[in-house]
Amino acid sequence: MSSPSSNAASVSTSASTTTIHLTVNGRTRTLSVEPRRTLLDALREDLHLTGAKPGCNMGQCGACTVLLDGEAVYSCLALAIECQHQAITTIEGLAHDDQLDPVQQAFIDHDALQCGFCTPGQVLALKSLLLRDPHPDDDAIERAMAGNLCRCGAYPKILAAARSLAGRAS
Amino acid sequence: MPIRIVTTHLEFEGQVEEVRVVLEGEEPPAWGPDTPFQVVGKPTARVDARERVTGAAEYSYDVQLPGMLTAAGLRSPHPHARISRLDASSALAVPGVRAVYSHLNAGDFINPSSGKPVFGNELLYHGDLVALVVAETPEQAREATRAIDVAYEPLPFVTAPDAALAANAPMVNTAVPSNTISDEYPQVYQRGDVEAALAQAEVTIETRMETPAALHNSLETHGGAASWDGSRLTVWSSTQGVFGARQQAAAALGLPMTAVQVITQYMGGGFGSKLGVHRSGLLAAYASRQLGLPVKYMLDRTEENLDAGNRPPSVQAYRLGAAKDGTLAALDLAVIHNVGANGLWSSPVALPAKELYQCANVRTTDRAARTNLGTLAAFRAPGVVEGIAGLEVAIDALATELGMDSLELRRKNFAERYQLLDRPYARKMLLDCYRIGAERIGWETRDAEERRYPGGRSGHLRRGIGMASQLWGGDGGPPAQAIAKLLPDGTAVIITGTQDIGTGTRTVLAQIAAEELGYPLERVRVELGETAHGVFSPMSGGSMTLASVGPAVRMAAVEARKELTEVIGQLAEAPADALDIRNATVFNRETGAEMGGVSTYLEQLGGHEITAKGMRGPNAEDVTVRTFGAQFAEVEVDIGTGAVRVVRIVAVHDCGRIINPLTYSSQIEGGIIQGLGFALTEQRIVDERLGMVMNPNLGDYKAPTIRDIPQIDIVLLNEPNVVANTLGVLGAGEPPIIPTPGAIANAVGHALGKTVTRLPLTPDRVLDMLSTTTERS
Amino acid sequence: MRPFEHLTVQAADEAIQALAGGDGGNTRLIAGGTDLLPLLKDGLVNPGRLIDIKPARALRHLTFDADGSLRIGALTTLAEIERSSQLAERLPLLRQSVVDAATPQLRAMATVGGNLLQRSRCWYFRGPFDCWLKGGTVCYMRDGENKYAAIFDQGPCRSAHPSDLAPALVALDATVSISGPAGSRTTPVAEFLAPPTNDERVEYRLRPDEMVTEIRIPAEAIAGHGVYLKAMDRRAWAFALVGAAAQVTILDGKVARARLVFSAVANVPWRATAAEALLVGQTLTPDLAAQAADAAIAGASPLAHNGYKVPLARELARRAILAAANLWTETN
Ligand SMILES: Cc1cc2nc3c(=O)[nH]c(=O)nc-3n(C[C@H](O)[C@H](O)[C@H](O)COP(=O)(O)OP(=O)(O)OC[C@H]3O[C@@H](n4cnc5c(N)ncnc54)[C@H](O)[C@@H]3O)c2cc1C
Ligand code: FES
Ligand code: FES
């Protein structure tokens, strides 16, 4: 069994189930997974946090987007065992005590969603941008949101929501 | 209440169907153009948006039950093959694997929709189901699919429709002696004498349009989770129709419908491909029964793209004849459909040619081939998207030939009446759409030098403006039911059997009920997406949901309010018609005096809930209800790289009364963006030699990203159509995708001075177009 | 994906040790995982052990040395290249090469080392086909659906190199530092990436017990100015149909150094040396750029569906050369 030890030398883990610790939405969670378990499956299957969605499992849709230390990544292409030293934020962790994150509120107000399956990923992708750059221009918004497909085509409204948060009318 | 059985007509995707429905009571009179509204017509955020932005919304993919197992499918790596050996022992040895199903041990499991076994040993297309693994974890299930030892005996295959229809073609399915759908094909529609009219026409042209197979790629794949409680089955299905799904599941599992419950609270898109429970939902139920544990089977993206339907490819050949003044004299269209291995129908590609323009001599011929490819499914305005693209490009080519403005040509051939049944349209606002759209896009200056050549004539940019028309049904129809319940605490529950597939159904139904009840929106809760309530609604398809279910909800609310005022009147010793209810508060109509909240009365009734029923009445007879519209596109083509950028789309659609302008515009934008994908980037690519699909994923199958979208200007007409239904609404789900590809194709044609003959307009195609010499003057 | 053992290392030497102790190809390094995990999921590689090198922080840096050269650690992410203001100023070509690569999420994970070692995106290679590159006998691309295929023939395989970064690195005369059990070696990126051969059916030359530690770009290359232009099927999230990297140094009004390198036209980044030769020593004009662009595509042998890549490569080359010299405008 391995334990997370940031300064130690190499840590070896057998192919079977092992215990890992993930910091998810500010809480340390202990779970037992195979090394091949992706972060997406760990969140959904082990922690029952199903906000991150499997749209493709191949880095081709963006529905599984979560934040690792504030940076948007595809959780389907990360191994859970390799995310033990980063702060993981999922959509479930964005609102605080019933108080929605401004990004969530802007998505509601601008109707930046239809079926909603891509929405958690979209919200987090935009959150990640705004953490880095609170006042992005349209080009920056479009580039930051280019890794999240929305098959329903909520893009114009997502853009409007993002513009409103960037402090610019749409 | 009086009960009547009436016969009425439904039009769904070009087919007119007679239905008999039972009606109780009378629908309220239609909302008129001057009806005042408090809630209806106001931009309203979705009532379930919070769940969707917080991750709380539970999709079928998210269902987790104690002990639940996961399934994964093994798919055919051949276009046509027989399974000569299948040995699952290595797969069963993978830790965590509970079962492997195939034709060997589950051959008697029949899909009621096709009447055929779910597992056959003749595989008809790349992606056909070979076997299903059920395991404890998704990784184990997927790993085990690779461990199944299968030997395939390849069989001759055919993927091109003309080859499939040729003499001596390989049989797509050795059990079916012909590659056509049925002996109703070729389907020929005729009025007048096309050949004679073409021979006499002053001007004739021929054009061709090939459209690709498009894959729905709903972001949530098809599938379901199933759980048994004794002999009762619950299926959480990603479906557009819980009642249809229930019927299929009951038939497949040999259960009475009362033993099956289907739940779809949230679903991640369907676009026509999820009208039932799908094989995947049936398999989850089957495996769950065998194993005594809940089972979830959600397709992976590859399975989805190979086996969950497609907008089938079409090849359209047009011949048009006209007088020099532009009067259309003849229209001949031949279509070849490629409906895939198990296709039983073909899409109404020819519908626009029959109906859109006034023309005495029309002939359409539909040939349809089954091929060794995945089977077609309805996809947002099936056929009509393709047909409009073909027809509207042909009209532009004719205009060029005539030296006439193409919009003028369209106006000239405007069809006043519905020519197929020679009867009036309830309303046709198409000319208004043309006028408004043309103004907005600046049609008049479309040939101006500085507009067409943004970088000057020697530069590499060319701009073009094009347009296309839209027609569609979307007036809905019966049967659809709703129940309104007024609870003692002053809240209301609306129960229907419809589902919200992302279109905002929950929200508009709540708005309608709130309006009629005189309740604030927050006090109205809409319950849908479950068969257990037993309140029937049709599937969400054909842009019929609001126009079918909305009137039923309205009637239920009207009836509930009647009962409410009656009850309050008796309690307050006032005549019921002297009472008004606004904001869930009772007022005296004459004096304006406030008489307290509704709950102060309802709470006196010992828990009694006022319950009222509503249903959708029959459709108007002897008249054709349509939505019409037009879109105008401005594009910029880089003639050096072949890149096409859509700069702007102006969309003018008559969708009747707009209940919620916010979600309405979302629908329009979504349709346009899917249409843009169809025009520019999306296509299933098949290696015809191998019979294999090359891009069953979201990497090589390219749906638009946020960077691909243009500025979209939506013109809200908001004119109630009082003939259509008591709300005056028309569907808005399909209309917006219909004209987009045609408008873009015409804009590109305008930019390049050529006629588009094939979609999508990827850079390679555009560069090829540029290197061919046939200019259009 | 088969089960695998997992090892986490903190430094390059630990990785080398672990690789040496391993059994050749059965062990794989994992960096960002953005290419490796899809390959594992598709069953195209099935290692018994993964070594996570991400914690080796020393391999993650962007350093301009005193002599003006640049060193990039193998674990530097594409996002770090994209966001480096120093690079934006001093080496725009490099930054440009990654801004339209993949997506923000992928760039946040994807590393420079992994990008050079990513496998072909050919759909026959990635799909259920026993193609030559996977050890079979046929390159299905040649007579199949080859719209994305290479237009230059470099051997049995016709897959096109997918990396946007690699052609930029080749245009910058970059070298790659490699560590193995026997020590370190340095090789030009232009040689490190090599067409697959019968014996080595991969697009790079790295032994299973070696790892990439660093990329170096010499000062002479940085002194010039360059651009990367990428043509795509959609405006984001697509591999290049063709990409063109040009880096040009102009001294006293004449071209002193020129590099023109394409992505997606050959098995590996394709350097257009004939075009470069035409430019050097000359005053750069639109006509000269057009001539060089013509020379750049000489010898192309397109297949049935990728003929469009020839004029596309020519046009991107012309624009890239002009843009590198700040001569490109909307009107030419
Ligand atoms: C959907 C999608 C779109 C993409 N689009 C683009 C694009 O447009 N342009 C583009 O250029 N790329 C694109 N990519 C590719 C992407 O850039 C690469 O996957 C990424 O750069 C690989 O880096 P990584 O760190 O994730 O590598 P990994 O996946 O971790 O590793 C890839 C390979 O390199 C080996 N490896 C990694 N690091 C080292 C090292 N230091 N020494 C030795 N071996 C090592 C691994 O063993 C493995 O074999 C795309 C990828 C995806 C999934
Ligand atoms: S599920 Fe991760 S990108 Fe699609
Ligand atoms: S809202 Fe449906 S995919 Fe984005």
Side-chain angles (χ1 to χ4, degrees):
Chain A
M1 200 175 67
S2 66
S3 63
S5 44
S6 45
N7 301 315
S10 51
V11 176
S12 173
T13 307
S14 78
S16 57
T17 308
T18 182
T19 300
I20 64 167
H21 307 277
L22 297 179
T23 311
V24 184
N25 302 327
R27 277 177 62 199
T28 303
R29 312 285 301 259
T30 302
L31 48 160
S32 172
V33 298
E34 291 180 306
R36 65 175 160 169
R37 179 136 286 196
T38 61
L39 178 58
L40 176 62
D41 282 339
L43 292 170
R44 292 175 57 85
E45 304 285 322
D46 298 298
L47 300 177
H48 302 291
L49 294 170
T50 54
K53 307 290 184 208
C56 71
N57 272 307
M58 290 296 232
Q60 297 174 339
C61 79
C64 66
T65 299
V66 301
L67 304 186
L68 279 188
D69 287 340
E71 189 85 71
V73 301
Y74 297 144
S75 60
C76 70
L77 294 188
L79 294 174
I81 193 173
E82 297 178 0
C83 300
Q84 298 188 73
H85 303 293
Q86 282 146 304
I88 300 159
T89 308
T90 72
I91 194 71
E92 290 89 348
L94 214 53
H96 289 291
D97 313 320
D98 245 35
Q99 181 66 43
L100 294 181
D101 185 275
V103 177
Q104 292 171 313
Q105 192 60 50
F107 266 63
I108 295 178
D109 295 343
H110 290 88
D111 202 43
L113 54 103
Q114 293 182 33
C115 78
F117 202 76
C118 72
T119 308
Q122 305 275 5
V123 168
L124 289 166
L126 182 54
K127 182 74 193 169
S128 165
L129 169 68
L130 294 170
L131 286 173
R132 269 198 323 276
D133 176 3
H135 304 290
D137 61 14
D138 275 9
D139 186 60
I141 294 169
E142 286 183 17
R143 286 180 176 279
M145 303 305 291
N148 293 78
L149 289 182
C150 175
R151 192 52 167 156
C152 298
Y155 300 129
K157 301 275 164 69
I158 293 171
L159 208 54
R163 284 175 181 153
S164 76
L165 293 161
R168 295 173 311 112
S170 59
Chain B
M1 275 201 191
I3 291 189
R4 294 176 296 150
I5 296 185
V6 288
T7 301
T8 187
H9 296 90
L10 282 183
E11 189 183 314
F12 184 60
E13 291 166 1
Q15 310 285 338
V16 180
E17 195 192 331
E18 194 176 279
V19 286
R20 281 205 291 183
V21 287
V22 180
L23 296 174
E24 287 175 50
E26 289 295 335
E27 289 191 287
W31 278 334
D34 303 321
T35 308
F37 292 107
Q38 302 299 318
V39 192
V40 162
K42 310 276 184 296
T44 305
R46 286 171 203 251
V47 297
D48 53 3
R50 193 183 175 95
E51 288 73 11
R52 294 185 202 256
V53 299
T54 56
E58 187 179 67
Y59 295 77
S60 299
Y61 217 136
D62 301 334
V63 170
Q64 284 172 330
L65 301 165
M68 188 152 87
L69 304 170
T70 305
L74 173 66
R75 299 285 166 171
S76 172
H78 296 279
H80 195 189
R82 199 166 278 120
I83 303 174
S84 51
R85 185 187 75 243
L86 190 149
D87 178 356
S89 52
S90 308
L92 286 163
V94 172
V97 170
R98 295 297 185 86
V100 177
Y101 300 109
S102 69
H103 67 289
L104 297 178
N105 57 355
D108 57 351
F109 184 46
I110 306 293
N111 184 346
S113 316
S114 60
K116 289 191 286 196
V118 172
F119 297 101
N121 92 325
E122 182 177 337
L123 305 166
L124 303 182
Y125 50 95
H126 175 201
D128 203 355
L129 188 64
V130 177
L132 187 78
V133 176
V134 186
E136 285 161 22
T137 72
E139 294 93 334
Q140 292 162 344
R142 281 192 290 265
E143 180 193 349
T145 58
R146 294 185 201 285
I148 302 171
D149 178 17
V150 194
Y152 300 96
E153 175 203 330
L155 298 172
F157 64 89
V158 57
T159 53
D162 36 4
L165 295 177
N168 301 324
M171 283 299 116
V172 166
N173 181 344
T174 60
V176 181
S178 154
N179 292 339
T180 60
I181 296 178
S182 70
D183 52 18
E184 284 168 29
Y185 285 82
Q187 285 182 339
V188 180
Y189 165 84
Q190 237 173 140
R191 63 174 183 256
D193 185 340
V194 168
E195 291 302 340
L198 277 171
Q200 286 161 21
E202 290 172 328
V203 176
T204 58
I205 59 147
E206 293 187 13
T207 58
R208 208 179 141 80
M209 177 61 75
E210 283 181 46
T211 63
L215 304 173
H216 303 70
N217 270 312
S218 309
L219 219 48
E220 182 183 37
T221 54
H222 284 65
S227 174
W228 291 79
D229 177 7
S231 58
R232 295 178 56 83
L233 167 68
T234 303
V235 184
W236 288 261
S237 172
S238 188
T239 180
Q240 294 172 238
V242 289
F243 279 90
R246 178 179 74 170
Q247 194 177 4
Q248 287 171 8
L253 281 300
L255 299 169
M257 292 206 299
T258 49
V260 182
Q261 129 137 274
V262 175
I263 301 176
T264 306
Q265 284 305 319
Y266 293 91
M267 61 88 78
F271 313 114
S273 67
K274 293 181 179 167
L275 298 177
V277 68
H278 195 248
R279 292 210 268 198
S280 47
L282 298 179
L283 281 164
Y286 175 84
S288 175
R289 177 158 69 184
Q290 303 285 317
L291 298 168
L293 284 169
V295 172
K296 180 158 72 184
Y297 179 25
M298 300 301 298
L299 302 188
D300 72 18
R301 183 56 58 187
T302 308
E303 295 183 276
E304 176 78 11
N305 276 345
L306 294 173
D307 197 26
N310 54 72
R311 182 191 297 279
S314 77
V315 180
Q316 309 168 38
Y318 290 85
R319 294 193 299 156
L320 272 58
K324 282 203 176 112
D325 71 353
T327 308
L328 200 56
L331 206 174
D332 185 35
L333 166 61
V335 192
I336 307 182
H337 304 266
N338 182 348
V339 301
N342 294 314
L344 296 173
W345 55 285
S346 63
S347 7
V349 173
L351 183 147
K354 295 174 194 167
E355 182 178 347
L356 186 57
Y357 294 107
Q358 185 66 41
C359 186
N361 304 294
V362 175
R363 179 176 63 200
T364 66
T365 311
D366 288 276
R367 294 191 300 141
R370 287 183 301 101
T371 60
N372 292 107
L373 284 165
T375 305
L376 84 167
F379 189 164
R380 209 168 190 169
V384 178
V385 171
E386 304 92 296
I388 283 287
L391 178 63
E392 291 289 66
V393 165
I395 292 290
D396 264 34
L398 178 61
T400 306
E401 187 67 32
L402 290 163
M404 209 171 156
D405 177 273
S406 69
L407 199 50
E408 201 39 53
L409 180 62
R410 289 183 172 87
R411 289 196 181 103
K412 173 128 206 146
N413 293 293
F414 179 78
E416 203 65 58
R417 286 165 69 81
Y418 181 54
Q419 297 164 88
L420 278 79
L421 300 175
D422 190 23
R423 66 185 194 184
Y425 288 114
R427 170 168 92 201
K428 185 168 178 184
M429 292 183 70
L430 187 57
L431 292 175
D432 302 286
C433 298
Y434 287 167
R435 181 176 46 77
I436 298 167
E439 232 170 73
R440 289 269 180 126
I441 199 86
W443 185 260
E444 289 302 311
T445 61
R446 77 188 202 123
D447 285 318
E449 178 89 3
E450 58 295 356
R451 203 165 175 191
R452 294 204 58 185
Y453 304 94
R457 276 199 184 244
S458 62
H460 60 280
L461 298 176
R462 298 286 180 274
R463 285 213 177 189
I465 293 176
M467 62 83 55
S469 322
Q470 167 255 318
L471 81 170
W472 190 251
D475 58 331
Q481 306 175 348
I483 287 174
K485 283 163 120 355
L486 306 183
L487 275 49
D489 65 354
T491 60
V493 181
I494 302 298
I495 305 169
T496 81
T498 188
Q499 43 282 314
D500 189 333
I501 62 171
T503 48
T505 303
R506 266 193 196 88
T507 309
V508 290
L509 295 183
Q511 285 178 276
I512 292 163
E515 188 70 54
E516 288 296 3
L517 290 171
Y519 276 34
L521 190 66
E522 314 77 69
R523 297 249 198 133
V524 179
R525 191 187 146 70
V526 174
E527 289 188 1
L528 45 67
E530 294 199 18
T531 53
H533 295 307
V535 183
F536 178 85
S537 286
M539 65 185 174
S540 299
S543 302
M544 333 193 295
T545 306
L546 176 57
S548 302
V549 184
V553 167
R554 179 173 171 233
M555 177 177 165
V558 166
E559 295 297 325
R561 179 176 165 139
K562 272 189 208 153
E563 206 175 318
L564 179 67
T565 47
E566 197 61 49
V567 165
I568 295 174
Q570 291 191 24
L571 291 170
E573 298 180 1
D577 51 12
L579 300 178
D580 192 16
I581 298 173
R582 295 195 308 268
N583 214 17
T585 307
V586 189
F587 293 89
N588 184 309
R589 230 182 248 285
E590 275 115 60
T591 66
E594 193 186 313
M595 299 166 60
V598 292
S599 60
T600 53
Y601 299 93
L602 291 171
E603 275 167 354
Q604 299 173 29
L605 301 176
H608 174 82
E609 293 175 356
I610 289 174
T611 303
K613 235 200 257 185
M615 45 204 55
R616 170 64 153 88
N619 285 338
E621 296 290 321
D622 303 323
V623 62
T624 291
V625 179
R626 284 276 185 271
T627 118
F628 287 96
Q631 284 178 15
F632 292 72
E634 179 159 9
V635 304
E636 185 170 276
V637 184
D638 183 329
I639 56 169
T641 64
V644 177
R645 182 168 72 93
V646 181
V647 180
R648 188 172 172 216
I649 301 261
V650 173
V652 198
H653 298 275
D654 168 23
C655 296
R657 182 191 305 286
I658 307 304
I659 305 289
N660 186 352
L662 186 62
T663 50
Y664 171 76
S665 59
S666 293
Q667 273 301 296
I668 302 293
E669 287 160 356
I672 289 171
I673 290 166
Q674 273 179 353
L676 181 146
F678 189 68
L680 295 187
T681 57
E682 296 182 33
Q683 56 178 327
R684 178 185 70 188
I685 294 173
V686 175
D687 181 324
E688 305 275 350
R689 287 172 322 151
L690 304 175
M692 300 285 282
V693 179
M694 304 314 300
N695 59 344
N697 50 53
L698 278 168
D700 292 320
Y701 184 89
K702 294 192 176 70
T705 73
I706 196 167
R707 298 201 62 198
D708 295 281
I709 61 158
Q711 180 192 333
I712 298 175
D713 296 343
I714 299 168
V715 179
L716 215 67
L717 296 177
N718 196 17
E719 294 278 346
N721 186 326
V722 290
V723 177
N725 50 63
T726 72
L727 304 176
V729 300
L730 297 170
E734 280 150 310
I737 193 179
I738 290 171
T740 317
I744 292 174
N746 277 336
V748 171
H750 180 232
L752 302 182
K754 306 207 174 200
T755 299
V756 169
T757 57
R758 234 179 133 183
L759 299 179
L761 290 160
T762 46
D764 56 321
R765 297 258 169 79
V766 173
L767 289 172
D768 285 348
M769 270 174 81
L770 283 163
S771 67
T772 57
T773 45
T774 46
E775 290 277 332
R776 167 169 117 183
S777 51
Chain C
M1 190 164 19
R2 300 239 183 92
F4 48 76
E5 285 171 36
H6 191 270
L7 183 72
T8 306
V9 297
Q10 309 289 330
D13 53 342
E14 287 173 25
I16 303 293
Q17 259 173 32
L19 279 174
D23 34 11
N26 193 34
T27 297
R28 283 278 182 148
L29 302 183
I30 176 166
T34 60
D35 193 37
L36 189 59
L37 284 183
L39 291 168
L40 291 174
K41 290 180 188 206
D42 277 339
L44 293 172
V45 291
N46 295 292
R49 191 167 67 139
L50 290 194
I51 303 176
D52 179 17
I53 54 176
K54 279 187 287 299
R57 306 293 300 192
L59 297 182
R60 190 165 173 180
H61 63 89
L62 270 166
T63 318
F64 277 99
D65 284 331
D67 65 356
S69 64
L70 172 67
R71 288 184 294 118
I72 307 171
L75 288 176
T76 307
T77 64
L78 302 190
E80 284 158 352
I81 292 184
E82 178 186 8
R83 291 180 202 156
S84 157
S85 48
Q86 263 194 325
L87 282 185
E89 204 181 300
R90 298 175 65 177
L91 204 44
L93 165 59
L94 197 62
R95 192 182 157 271
Q96 265 179 28
S97 75
V98 300
V99 292
D100 280 327
T103 66
Q105 287 93 327
L106 287 163
R107 294 195 294 274
M109 306 168 87
T111 66
V112 168
N115 189 278
L116 291 182
L117 291 158
Q118 64 177 303
R119 295 306 315 273
S120 164
R121 307 300 307 196
C122 169
W123 42 32
Y124 295 98
F125 174 73
R126 298 263 168 174
F129 307 93
D130 183 24
C131 82
W132 179 87
L133 191 56
K134 283 198 298 232
T137 51
V138 192
C139 171
Y140 290 99
M141 193 81 124
R142 285 187 180 271
D143 302 313
E145 285 301 317
N146 47 33
K147 91 173 248 202
Y148 297 125
I151 50 173
F152 291 103
D153 214 335
Q154 292 186 303
C157 168
R158 263 303 181 120
S159 80
H161 201 265
S163 171
D164 293 311
L165 177 68
L169 292 176
V170 172
L172 293 167
D173 292 346
T175 58
V176 48
S177 306
I178 294 162
S179 291
S184 299
R185 64 184 176 104
T186 296
T187 183
V189 172
E191 288 166 26
F192 177 68
L193 299 177
T197 62
N198 246 325
D199 303 328
E200 286 193 84
R201 299 196 184 188
V202 286
E203 306 84 346
Y204 47 79
R205 295 292 175 267
L206 186 74
R207 290 206 309 272
D209 56 0
E210 289 181 323
M211 79 178 281
V212 172
T213 55
E214 199 169 82
I215 307 292
R216 289 173 193 242
I217 299 174
E220 307 84 82
I222 297 175
H225 180 255
V227 296
Y228 180 70
L229 300 179
K230 180 177 181 181
M232 295 184 269
D233 260 347
R234 67 179 169 193
R235 293 169 65 80
W237 213 343
F239 287 95
L241 297 172
V242 176
Q247 179 84 358
V248 175
T249 309
I250 297 183
L251 288 177
D252 302 330
K254 297 245 162 24
V255 177
R257 176 186 179 279
R259 293 287 183 278
L260 176 65
V261 186
F262 292 111
S263 62
V265 301
N267 291 163
V268 290
W270 179 265
R271 186 166 160 197
T273 40
E276 294 170 2
L278 273 178
L279 296 171
V280 172
Q282 307 294 314
T283 304
L284 193 41
T285 62
D287 277 348
L288 183 64
Q291 283 171 34
D294 285 337
I297 48 143
S301 55
L303 305 167
H305 307 295
N306 68 352
Y308 74 97
K309 281 196 179 191
V310 177
L312 181 55
R314 184 206 293 125
E315 180 64 7
L316 291 187
R318 188 177 73 84
R319 291 183 188 184
I321 294 166
L322 288 173
N326 284 318
L327 291 174
W328 169 249
T329 65
E330 289 284 272
T331 51
N332 57 27

